[in-house]
Amino acid sequence: MNYKVIDKDTYYRKGVFKHFTQDCKCSTSMTARIDVTVLVKYSKMTNTKLYVNFLYILTKVLNSRDDYKMGYLWQSEELICYDVINPTQYVFHEDTETCTPVYTKYYDNYEKFYKEAVKDIEDAKTTREYGLDAGNHPNWFDASYISWLSYDSLNVELPDGYLYFLPIINWGKYREENGKLMMPVSVRLNHAIAD
């Protein structure tokens, strides 16, 4: 895990960062429906998992911009930007109605990411341990799929002033709307580092 320390005095969002970490401590959460018609067709045509295909695209997009790869080191009060962030996804166990976190390393190469993600998911299905290990995975963002529900809004709350900067992404079941397959995607970001 590599990162660079951001100089808060020269940070391009200096004023915004100060305001939303001191005066108005808040995050933003937004839900939008996105068109996944082509992705669903691709997944069916290639006999691949829509969930993993979307996870790859999501992770690639989040790694394309520094604003989504930010972190905060409490001990030194440093704002940092990770070189790469990886998804923490979840396997839902119907028998216990619990989840197991799944740590999947991001690879820019789609085939390698897909293969590793599927393996990680299959391994997680064999346990009922919660096993969240954020201390050893600081550059991992939360990615949750609610496969049984197509929703219109979702809000993820963290306590005011909590300087958690990595994205929290949720998505649900797609549904047909006007001939397109639309999937709800919710994004939670700390307002200090991203709009």
Side-chain angles (χ1 to χ4, degrees):
M1 166 193 58
N2 294 317
Y3 60 83
K4 62 184 174 187
V5 176
I6 304 298
D7 182 344
K8 289 185 266 185
D9 291 328
T10 60
Y11 180 38
Y12 87 100
R13 290 180 61 88
K14 176 184 173 181
V16 174
F17 181 83
K18 182 180 177 189
H19 177 67
F20 288 113
T21 58
Q22 295 176 14
D23 306 324
C24 180
K25 300 173 182 176
C26 69
S27 60
T28 61
S29 193
M30 179 186 293
T31 299
R33 288 185 313 281
I34 62 169
D35 184 349
V36 293
T37 307
V38 173
L39 187 60
V40 170
K41 183 178 178 180
Y42 171 83
S43 300
K44 288 179 180 178
M45 185 178 70
T46 59
N47 198 30
T48 56
K49 298 178 184 296
L50 172 69
Y51 167 81
V52 178
N53 291 335
F54 181 73
L55 186 65
Y56 171 77
I57 292 168
L58 171 65
T59 307
K60 186 174 183 73
V61 167
L62 292 177
N63 274 288
S64 72
R65 188 171 168 91
D66 284 351
D67 291 347
Y68 307 138
K69 300 186 294 183
M70 304 296 275
Y72 192 76
L73 302 180
W74 291 96
Q75 303 85 346
S76 58
E77 296 183 358
E78 291 176 304
L79 177 63
I80 62 170
C81 180
Y82 294 106
D83 290 348
V84 66
I85 58 173
N86 306 287
T88 303
Q89 52 182 311
Y90 297 86
V91 167
F92 181 73
H93 307 291
E94 290 187 25
D95 58 336
T96 58
E97 295 185 354
T98 60
C99 293
T100 296
V102 181
Y103 295 101
T104 295
K105 186 173 179 187
Y106 171 65
Y107 296 98
D108 192 49
N109 178 282
Y110 164 75
E111 288 82 12
K112 184 167 182 148
F113 178 87
Y114 186 91
K115 179 182 172 187
E116 293 298 319
V118 169
K119 180 186 178 305
D120 294 339
I121 292 166
E122 291 306 314
D123 289 348
K125 287 179 179 178
T126 66
T127 183
R128 296 300 180 265
E129 297 292 322
Y130 187 66
L132 189 63
D133 186 17
N136 289 315
H137 297 90
N139 60 323
W140 298 68
F141 71 92
D142 197 68
S144 299
Y145 175 42
I146 306 167
S147 62
W148 58 90
L149 180 66
S150 183
Y151 58 86
D152 291 319
S153 180
L154 178 88
N155 189 34
V156 176
E157 303 259 348
L158 289 178
D160 282 350
Y162 187 62
L163 298 179
Y164 184 82
F165 295 142
L166 290 171
I168 298 174
I169 313 295
N170 300 86
W171 65 98
K173 183 178 179 179
Y174 65 81
R175 63 183 180 228
E176 186 172 343
E177 294 178 16
N178 300 318
K180 295 180 181 179
L181 301 177
M182 304 300 288
M183 185 171 72
V185 178
S186 300
V187 178
R188 182 266 176 203
L189 294 168
N190 190 301
H191 206 4
I193 53 94
D195 294 318

